[in-house]
Amino acid sequence: MPTWAGMTHVKVEEEDVDEKKVEILDSLISMNLTQCIDSSSMKEEEDFNFQFLEQSGTKLECDNSLEGFHFGNGGGVGGFNEDTREQLDADMDAACTTVLDLPATSSSMCLDFESLDSVDGQETNGPDESIEIGEEEALLLAAAATAADESSDRESIGPVEQTSSSQCRNKGSKGAASSGRRKTKVDWTQELHRRFVQAVEQLGVEKAIPSRILELMGVQCLTRHNIASHLQKYRSHRRHMIARDVEAASWRHRRPLTWARSQQEGNAWLAPIQTSSSFPAAHPYASAGLPTIQPRLPAHGHHIGAHLVVWGHPTVDHSPTHMWQQPPVNTLPFSQEPDSSTYWQQTAPACIDSWTHPSIFPAFPYPFFGAPYAPSFCASQLVAPGITSNERSLMDESLPVALYQTTAIDSDISAAAGAAACSKPSDFLPPQEILDAVISEALANPCTPLPLGLKPPSVAAVMAELFRQGINIVATSTS
DNA sequence: AGGCAAATAT
DNA sequence: CATATTTGCC
């Protein structure tokens, strides 16, 4: 049995640092790495320095001395079993609270895959790799250690104390000194999320259920609940995005002239991505926030908007941006690197924030951009630099239309209407899946108010139109 | 179990 | 205050 007595030796001078230690230790436990860690060699590292690279590129230094810390000496073949680990967690919690007076975080039980990313570039994923986890996680350790060595060598130009105290903040659960024993939040790192998405896609978005996902992910530190929760959010987000896609596509369809022009003239701000493969992979996000129907369909045939890449499409998204975030458009003249502080930068305000340049667009004149899911195409258009006045008038002319569709996006009526409103119905018929998604999305948020006093068309009118086009709305009355 | 929504933490 | 994650309920 591993002993946690060593924990009592952890100094508490810098809480942040110590919290990080606890976190690291916890990670190690959760990694079932008993066979990978030589406890004796570990002990020799009296002043082990963990440094983690944060997404921002800043580094987390944990001036560390994990004295007398033992990793399970033969805790069993292949690591701890579930029970043992829980016991360990409990012990650890106890140690933290009673001795160290640290929050009883059995914190971040998840691997910090982010640090792993730097080493394990090409990563082999698959359903059958549950065995590899051990190695992979061993790599994490190595990565942590290596990063520590390297960056302490090359980056410690400035005073070290500076960094260690000021930057060593984690999502520290400070005051919450383990009262209710509420589970510590899972940190859905890029890598974790990537695996999640991969698993989901493997199963098929519709069929993906937590237990299976968990299985495929092969990450032991997660529970079904964790997955379920994340899945819930994933689905919700996906619906939003699909709704946006439909929305934008329908709008695009209304103003083909504008689109055509802008594309001809190479205006990245307006450049649409066509539904099929017509858009060069060179700028997969060149829609400048203009969402699109997935140009290349995944093998599983899910018609997901390309922006769902944001959600970490495993085969595409290698960007450092956070997973929920709209990736930066490299073709944009003024695009800013979005700060990776939050997952959800998808909605309009943030979209504007990260896609436009403050000096050019000091105050955006249209308040409706605060509306949920207000499509960024409006922003792109209205503020697009280098756009001709001719074009602008065209756009202005189209604004009311866009406006309506924009603000009403949350209602099933408007979403469906958006799809139905295409001038040439035969040109744009979203796949049933998308329609379904849009509808269910809308049903989920039926009462979003419409800014600017705009009203949606009557249900009857929309239904009539849909019916005329042969689109059957399956009545999924939830009441 | 799975899905959803309320509760809660950050 | 908004978002992310956990918890609890059906």
Side-chain angles (χ1 to χ4, degrees), chain A residues 27-96:
Chain A
S27 294
L28 294 180
I29 303 167
S30 72
M31 289 192 288
N32 287 355
L33 271 179
T34 51
Q35 75 276 33
C36 302
I37 301 173
D38 182 345
S39 57
S40 55
S41 70
M42 204 55 196
K43 274 200 285 190
E44 292 168 15
E45 301 272 5
E46 291 288 341
D47 261 315
F48 198 72
N49 243 345
F50 285 103
Q51 294 186 350
F52 283 81
L53 301 177
E54 288 188 315
Q55 306 157 14
S56 56
T58 61
K59 68 177 188 286
L60 265 179
E61 289 190 0
C62 294
D63 174 18
N64 206 335
S65 49
L66 306 174
E67 309 164 2
F69 184 68
H70 300 280
F71 288 95
N73 26 344
V77 192
F80 310 129
N81 57 31
E82 220 34 41
D83 289 341
T84 312
R85 213 183 73 202
E86 269 170 31
Q87 181 56 44
L88 287 174
D89 289 344
D91 292 346
M92 182 122 157
D93 281 356
C96 288

Side-chain angles (χ1 to χ4, degrees), chain A residues 185-356:
Chain A
K185 280 190 178 180
V186 166
D187 185 9
W188 280 94
T189 60
Q190 294 266 354
E191 174 60 23
L192 223 39
H193 176 70
R194 206 175 61 76
R195 289 190 172 211
F196 169 85
V197 174
Q198 184 170 335
V200 167
E201 296 204 334
Q202 208 162 98
L203 292 167
V205 185
E206 306 303 327
K207 297 175 199 162
I209 57 175
S211 55
R212 294 284 296 137
I213 296 172
L214 186 53
E215 227 171 89
L216 288 180
M217 285 178 70
V219 176
Q220 312 203 359
C221 58
L222 294 176
T223 69
R224 264 189 310 108
H225 269 70
N226 294 140
I227 305 286
S229 168
H230 202 60
L231 183 61
Q232 184 180 16
K233 199 169 64 169
Y234 175 80
R235 285 174 172 160
S236 158
H237 187 260
R238 187 166 168 278
R239 281 193 291 265
H240 289 180
M241 293 305 96
I242 290 176
R244 240 184 55 170
D245 272 356
V246 173
E247 165 70 14
S250 70
W251 182 89
R252 191 158 63 236
H253 223 268
R254 287 187 176 190
R255 312 297 306 183
L257 182 58
T258 305
W259 291 112
R261 274 162 171 258
S262 64
Q263 206 169 9
Q264 269 182 355
E265 296 170 20
N267 189 330
W269 291 79
L270 287 169
I273 300 178
Q274 285 312 319
T275 319
S276 43
S277 53
S278 66
F279 212 76
H283 23 144
Y285 310 120
S287 62
L290 222 194
T292 174
I293 309 296
Q294 174 102 335
R296 53 190 131 165
L297 299 177
H300 332 287
H302 299 114
H303 303 253
I304 312 168
H307 55 261
L308 284 180
V309 160
V310 168
W311 246 98
H313 192 300
T315 55
V316 184
D317 184 17
H318 301 301
S319 75
T321 57
H322 228 308
M323 50 191 150
W324 309 97
Q325 206 166 23
Q326 188 99 30
V329 178
N330 51 14
T331 52
L332 288 184
F334 300 108
S335 70
Q336 292 180 174
E337 234 1 86
D339 88 337
S340 47
S341 52
T342 162
Y343 289 169
W344 299 95
Q345 297 296 314
Q346 284 279 74
T347 50
C351 207
I352 289 173
D353 284 345
S354 50
W355 293 62
T356 61

Side-chain angles (χ1 to χ4, degrees), chain A residues 387-457:
Chain A
I387 201 159
T388 70
S389 56
N390 196 15
E391 283 168 333
R392 195 180 294 273
S393 68
L394 265 173
M395 290 184 285
D396 289 344
E397 179 190 325
S398 66
L399 187 57
V401 174
L403 232 178
Y404 165 72
Q405 291 187 328
T406 297
T407 51
I409 183 92
D410 259 356
S411 88
D412 52 337
I413 295 171
S414 66
C422 308
S423 48
K424 297 181 202 163
S426 53
D427 279 5
F428 176 73
L429 272 183
Q432 189 62 40
E433 186 196 349
I434 292 184
L435 278 179
D436 290 344
V438 169
I439 291 166
S440 50
E441 156 71 11
L443 286 173
N445 314 286
C447 299
T448 307
L450 304 177
L452 298 187
L454 294 171
K455 292 180 182 177

